[in-house]
Protein backbone atom coordinates (compact mmCIF):
# COMPACT_ATOMS: atom_id res chain seq x y z
CA UNK A 1 0.00 0.00 0.00
CA UNK A 2 1.06 3.56 -0.61
CA UNK A 3 1.18 6.38 1.90
CA UNK A 4 2.16 10.04 1.93
CA UNK A 5 3.56 11.94 4.88
CA UNK A 6 3.65 15.69 5.04
CA UNK A 7 5.88 16.38 7.97
CA UNK A 8 4.62 19.86 8.82
CA UNK A 9 0.97 20.62 9.40
CA UNK A 10 1.60 24.37 9.57
CA UNK A 11 4.42 26.51 8.23
CA UNK A 12 4.51 30.21 9.10
CA UNK A 13 6.93 32.33 7.09
CA UNK A 14 7.57 35.98 6.41
CA UNK A 15 6.96 37.49 3.00
CA UNK A 16 9.91 37.23 0.59
CA UNK A 17 11.50 34.45 2.64
CA UNK A 18 12.21 31.04 1.08
CA UNK A 19 10.03 28.09 2.00
CA UNK A 20 10.23 24.32 1.77
CA UNK A 21 7.24 22.07 2.35
CA UNK A 22 8.28 18.50 2.96
CA UNK A 23 6.70 15.38 1.54
CA UNK A 24 7.77 11.76 1.87
CA UNK A 25 6.02 8.80 0.37
CA UNK A 26 6.03 5.05 0.76
CA UNK A 27 5.33 2.69 -2.10
CA UNK A 28 6.44 -0.71 -3.32
CA UNK A 29 5.72 0.23 -6.94
CA UNK A 30 6.58 3.17 -9.15
CA UNK A 31 4.54 6.28 -8.54
CA UNK A 32 3.63 9.59 -10.06
CA UNK A 33 3.92 12.59 -7.74
CA UNK A 34 1.85 15.74 -7.46
CA UNK A 35 1.51 18.89 -5.42
CA UNK A 36 -1.90 20.53 -5.22
CA UNK A 37 -2.82 23.85 -3.59
CA UNK A 38 -6.12 24.92 -2.08
CA UNK A 39 -6.60 28.65 -1.65
CA UNK A 40 -9.25 29.79 0.84
CA UNK A 41 -12.76 28.98 -0.36
CA UNK A 42 -11.52 27.39 -3.56
CA UNK A 43 -11.00 23.91 -4.95
CA UNK A 44 -7.75 22.03 -5.43
CA UNK A 45 -5.42 23.33 -8.11
CA UNK A 46 -2.46 21.45 -9.53
CA UNK A 47 0.85 23.17 -8.79
CA UNK A 48 3.18 20.67 -10.43
CA UNK A 49 3.65 17.01 -11.22
CA UNK A 50 6.39 14.46 -11.72
CA UNK A 51 5.64 11.70 -14.20
CA UNK A 52 9.12 10.90 -15.52
CA UNK A 53 12.30 12.55 -16.78
CA UNK A 54 14.09 15.36 -14.98
CA UNK A 55 13.80 15.07 -11.23
CA UNK A 56 13.52 18.84 -10.83
CA UNK A 57 10.02 19.92 -11.72
CA UNK A 58 8.89 23.50 -12.13
CA UNK A 59 5.29 24.47 -11.55
CA UNK A 60 3.06 27.50 -11.49
CA UNK A 61 3.55 30.59 -9.35
CA UNK A 62 7.31 30.06 -9.02
CA UNK A 63 7.13 26.75 -7.17
CA UNK A 64 9.40 23.81 -7.87
CA UNK A 65 9.88 20.34 -6.44
CA UNK A 66 12.59 17.74 -6.61
CA UNK A 67 11.93 14.02 -6.80
CA UNK A 68 14.45 12.05 -4.78
CA UNK A 69 13.91 8.35 -5.33
CA UNK A 70 16.50 7.16 -2.81
CA UNK A 71 14.95 9.25 -0.06
CA UNK A 72 11.39 8.77 -1.35
CA UNK A 73 10.82 12.49 -1.09
CA UNK A 74 9.18 15.19 -3.19
CA UNK A 75 9.73 18.44 -1.32
CA UNK A 76 8.16 21.66 -2.58
CA UNK A 77 10.19 24.87 -2.62
CA UNK A 78 9.83 28.53 -3.45
CA UNK A 79 12.73 30.98 -3.14
CA UNK A 80 10.59 33.98 -2.19
CA UNK A 81 6.98 33.74 -1.03
CA UNK A 82 4.20 36.28 -1.32
CA UNK A 83 1.18 36.96 0.86
CA UNK A 84 -0.93 35.42 -1.91
CA UNK A 85 0.81 32.05 -1.40
CA UNK A 86 -1.08 31.63 1.86
CA UNK A 87 -2.99 28.40 1.29
CA UNK A 88 -3.05 24.70 2.12
CA UNK A 89 -0.71 22.51 0.11
CA UNK A 90 -1.22 18.82 -0.54
CA UNK A 91 1.29 16.27 -1.70
CA UNK A 92 -0.18 13.28 -3.53
CA UNK A 93 0.93 10.11 -5.28
CA UNK A 94 -0.67 7.74 -7.71
CA UNK A 95 0.59 4.34 -8.68
CA UNK A 96 1.66 3.43 -12.17
CA UNK A 97 0.41 -0.11 -11.85
CA UNK A 98 -2.56 -2.10 -10.74
CA UNK A 99 -6.25 -1.50 -10.51
CA UNK A 100 -5.89 1.66 -8.49
CA UNK A 101 -3.77 3.31 -11.15
CA UNK A 102 -4.61 6.98 -11.32
CA UNK A 103 -6.24 7.19 -7.90
CA UNK A 104 -4.57 9.83 -5.78
CA UNK A 105 -3.31 9.20 -2.25
CA UNK A 106 -2.95 12.44 -0.36
CA UNK A 107 -0.94 13.64 2.58
CA UNK A 108 -2.72 15.48 5.38
CA UNK A 109 -1.81 18.87 3.99
CA UNK A 110 0.45 21.72 5.08
CA UNK A 111 -1.00 25.14 5.83
CA UNK A 112 1.37 27.82 4.64
CA UNK A 113 0.85 31.16 6.31
CA UNK A 114 2.78 34.08 4.84
CA UNK A 115 3.08 37.09 7.11
CA UNK A 116 4.00 40.63 6.06
CA UNK B 1 -13.14 25.39 -21.36
CA UNK B 2 -15.33 24.99 -18.31
CA UNK B 3 -13.76 23.35 -15.28
CA UNK B 4 -15.17 20.67 -13.02
CA UNK B 5 -18.42 21.87 -11.52
CA UNK B 6 -19.93 20.62 -8.31
CA UNK B 7 -23.16 21.49 -6.64
CA UNK B 8 -24.43 22.29 -4.23
CA UNK B 9 -21.45 24.09 -2.76
CA UNK B 10 -22.87 23.64 0.73
CA UNK B 11 -25.50 21.34 2.17
CA UNK B 12 -26.76 21.06 5.71
CA UNK B 13 -29.05 18.12 6.41
CA UNK B 14 -30.35 16.27 9.42
CA UNK B 15 -29.19 12.82 10.36
CA UNK B 16 -31.27 10.24 8.56
CA UNK B 17 -32.03 12.41 5.55
CA UNK B 18 -30.86 11.83 2.00
CA UNK B 19 -28.51 14.09 0.07
CA UNK B 20 -27.40 13.93 -3.55
CA UNK B 21 -24.22 15.61 -4.72
CA UNK B 22 -23.60 16.28 -8.37
CA UNK B 23 -20.42 16.61 -10.38
CA UNK B 24 -20.05 17.78 -13.97
CA UNK B 25 -16.58 16.86 -15.26
CA UNK B 26 -14.62 18.64 -17.94
CA UNK B 27 -16.02 17.75 -21.35
CA UNK B 28 -14.18 14.82 -22.92
CA UNK B 29 -12.75 13.54 -19.65
CA UNK B 30 -13.60 9.87 -19.37
CA UNK B 31 -12.16 9.50 -15.89
CA UNK B 32 -14.14 10.83 -12.96
CA UNK B 33 -13.14 10.52 -9.33
CA UNK B 34 -14.82 11.24 -6.01
CA UNK B 35 -12.80 12.10 -2.93
CA UNK B 36 -13.75 13.14 0.58
CA UNK B 37 -12.04 15.11 3.28
CA UNK B 38 -13.34 14.67 6.79
CA UNK B 39 -12.32 17.52 9.08
CA UNK B 40 -8.76 17.17 10.31
CA UNK B 41 -8.02 14.21 8.11
CA UNK B 42 -6.47 13.70 4.71
CA UNK B 43 -8.36 13.73 1.45
CA UNK B 44 -9.38 10.15 0.71
CA UNK B 45 -10.31 8.41 -2.50
CA UNK B 46 -13.88 7.14 -2.74
CA UNK B 47 -14.32 5.82 -6.26
CA UNK B 48 -13.34 6.07 -9.90
CA UNK B 49 -15.44 5.94 -13.04
CA UNK B 50 -14.20 5.33 -16.54
CA UNK B 51 -17.03 6.62 -18.67
CA UNK B 52 -20.13 5.09 -17.09
CA UNK B 53 -18.37 2.11 -15.52
CA UNK B 54 -17.14 1.93 -11.94
CA UNK B 55 -13.46 1.12 -12.23
CA UNK B 56 -12.64 1.14 -8.54
CA UNK B 57 -14.99 1.72 -5.63
CA UNK B 58 -12.70 0.44 -2.92
CA UNK B 59 -12.86 3.72 -1.02
CA UNK B 60 -16.63 3.85 -0.56
CA UNK B 61 -17.20 3.75 3.21
CA UNK B 62 -20.38 1.64 3.25
CA UNK B 63 -23.55 0.83 1.38
CA UNK B 64 -25.21 4.10 2.38
CA UNK B 65 -23.20 5.70 -0.42
CA UNK B 66 -24.30 5.21 -4.02
CA UNK B 67 -22.51 6.74 -6.98
CA UNK B 68 -23.76 6.80 -10.55
CA UNK B 69 -22.57 8.17 -13.84
CA UNK B 70 -25.32 7.61 -16.34
CA UNK B 71 -24.25 8.08 -19.94
CA UNK B 72 -20.68 8.73 -18.94
CA UNK B 73 -21.23 12.44 -18.39
CA UNK B 74 -22.14 13.91 -15.01
CA UNK B 75 -22.02 11.90 -11.82
CA UNK B 76 -24.09 11.85 -8.66
CA UNK B 77 -23.16 10.69 -5.19
CA UNK B 78 -26.10 9.89 -2.95
CA UNK B 79 -25.88 9.40 0.79
CA UNK B 80 -28.89 7.64 2.25
CA UNK B 81 -29.46 7.82 5.16
CA UNK B 82 -26.87 10.37 6.20
CA UNK B 83 -24.98 9.96 9.46
CA UNK B 84 -23.02 12.52 11.48
CA UNK B 85 -19.69 11.01 10.42
CA UNK B 86 -20.53 11.69 6.77
CA UNK B 87 -19.84 15.38 7.30
CA UNK B 88 -16.93 16.70 5.29
CA UNK B 89 -15.96 18.15 1.95
CA UNK B 90 -16.65 15.99 -1.08
CA UNK B 91 -14.44 16.65 -4.07
CA UNK B 92 -14.93 15.54 -7.61
CA UNK B 93 -12.09 15.39 -10.14
CA UNK B 94 -11.78 14.44 -13.77
CA UNK B 95 -8.93 13.57 -16.09
CA UNK B 96 -8.50 12.67 -19.71
CA UNK B 97 -6.25 9.71 -18.91
CA UNK B 98 -5.88 7.70 -15.72
CA UNK B 99 -2.38 8.68 -14.69
CA UNK B 100 -2.24 12.28 -15.77
CA UNK B 101 -3.28 15.30 -13.79
CA UNK B 102 -6.75 15.37 -12.37
CA UNK B 103 -8.70 18.63 -12.33
CA UNK B 104 -10.72 19.20 -9.19
CA UNK B 105 -13.99 20.94 -8.54
CA UNK B 106 -14.49 23.35 -5.66
CA UNK B 107 -16.05 20.69 -3.51
CA UNK B 108 -19.36 20.28 -1.69
CA UNK B 109 -19.26 20.91 2.03
CA UNK B 110 -21.73 18.52 3.64
CA UNK B 111 -22.77 19.03 7.22
CA UNK B 112 -24.96 16.43 8.91
CA UNK B 113 -26.58 17.65 12.12
Amino acid sequence: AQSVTQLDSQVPVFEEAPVELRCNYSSSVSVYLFWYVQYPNQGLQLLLKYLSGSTLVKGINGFEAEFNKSQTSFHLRKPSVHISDTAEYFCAVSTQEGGSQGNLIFGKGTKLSVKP
Amino acid sequence: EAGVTQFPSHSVIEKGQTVTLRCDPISGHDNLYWYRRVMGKEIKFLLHFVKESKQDESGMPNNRFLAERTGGTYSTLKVQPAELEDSGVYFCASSRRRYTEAFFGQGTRLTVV
Side-chain angles (χ1 to χ4, degrees):
Chain A
Q2 293 76 42
S3 67
V4 177
T5 302
Q6 290 185 245
L7 296 162
D8 305 298
S9 59
Q10 297 190 58
V11 173
V13 64
F14 286 106
E15 192 174 19
E16 297 184 5
V19 70
E20 178 180 82
L21 306 184
R22 296 178 292 171
C23 173
N24 287 87
Y25 68 93
S26 172
S27 177
S28 58
V29 298
S30 297
V31 296
Y32 299 114
L33 298 151
F34 306 83
W35 274 98
Y36 281 85
V37 59
Q38 185 178 25
Y39 298 105
N41 302 313
Q42 295 188 29
L44 294 167
Q45 180 182 0
L46 181 70
L47 265 182
L48 48 79
K49 62 189 177 191
Y50 172 80
L51 302 182
S52 64
S54 173
T55 56
L56 182 62
V57 180
K58 294 190 183 296
I60 61 171
N61 301 338
F63 283 93
E64 64 180 33
E66 185 158 18
F67 169 52
N68 187 319
K69 189 173 182 179
S70 62
Q71 296 186 7
T72 59
S73 67
F74 192 54
H75 300 331
L76 181 70
R77 301 185 183 99
K78 186 169 182 178
S80 175
V81 294
H82 303 288
I83 298 287
S84 58
D85 293 323
T86 294
E88 190 161 19
Y89 292 78
F90 297 93
C91 181
V93 303
S94 69
T95 63
Q96 298 181 24
E97 306 168 21
S100 63
Q101 184 187 120
N103 306 343
L104 292 168
I105 299 159
F106 285 89
K108 289 189 175 183
T110 297
K111 291 184 178 178
L112 176 65
S113 175
V114 182
K115 305 176 186 302
Chain B
E1 181 181 74
V4 177
T5 306
Q6 291 185 248
F7 53 94
S9 56
H10 295 82
S11 180
V12 181
I13 62 170
E14 293 185 351
K15 176 182 173 181
Q17 289 186 322
T18 297
V19 63
T20 300
L21 314 181
R22 173 168 168 150
C23 169
D24 286 75
I26 293 172
S27 178
H29 283 195
D30 289 340
N31 295 276
L32 187 149
Y33 305 84
W34 283 98
Y35 293 85
R36 177 175 74 171
R37 189 184 194 192
V38 172
M39 186 176 291
K41 300 290 183 75
E42 62 268 32
I43 301 168
K44 285 199 169 179
F45 166 79
L46 294 178
L47 87 157
H48 170 209
F49 284 99
V50 177
K51 296 185 180 179
E52 67 274 10
S53 300
K54 290 177 186 175
Q55 186 70 29
D56 181 353
E57 52 184 333
S58 61
M60 294 288 263
N62 52 60
N63 59 10
R64 295 186 293 103
F65 289 75
L66 175 63
E68 295 180 324
R69 191 182 182 195
T70 307
T73 55
Y74 71 91
S75 174
T76 58
L77 180 64
K78 180 190 289 187
V79 185
Q80 180 181 28
E83 299 288 345
L84 298 179
E85 63 264 26
D86 301 333
S87 296
V89 180
Y90 290 76
F91 291 102
C92 175
S94 71
S95 68
R96 195 174 296 278
R97 290 179 294 174
R98 289 179 78 170
Y99 52 85
T100 56
E101 62 184 283
F103 294 86
F104 281 76
Q106 292 194 327
T108 294
R109 182 174 296 277
L110 174 64
T111 303
V112 183
V113 298

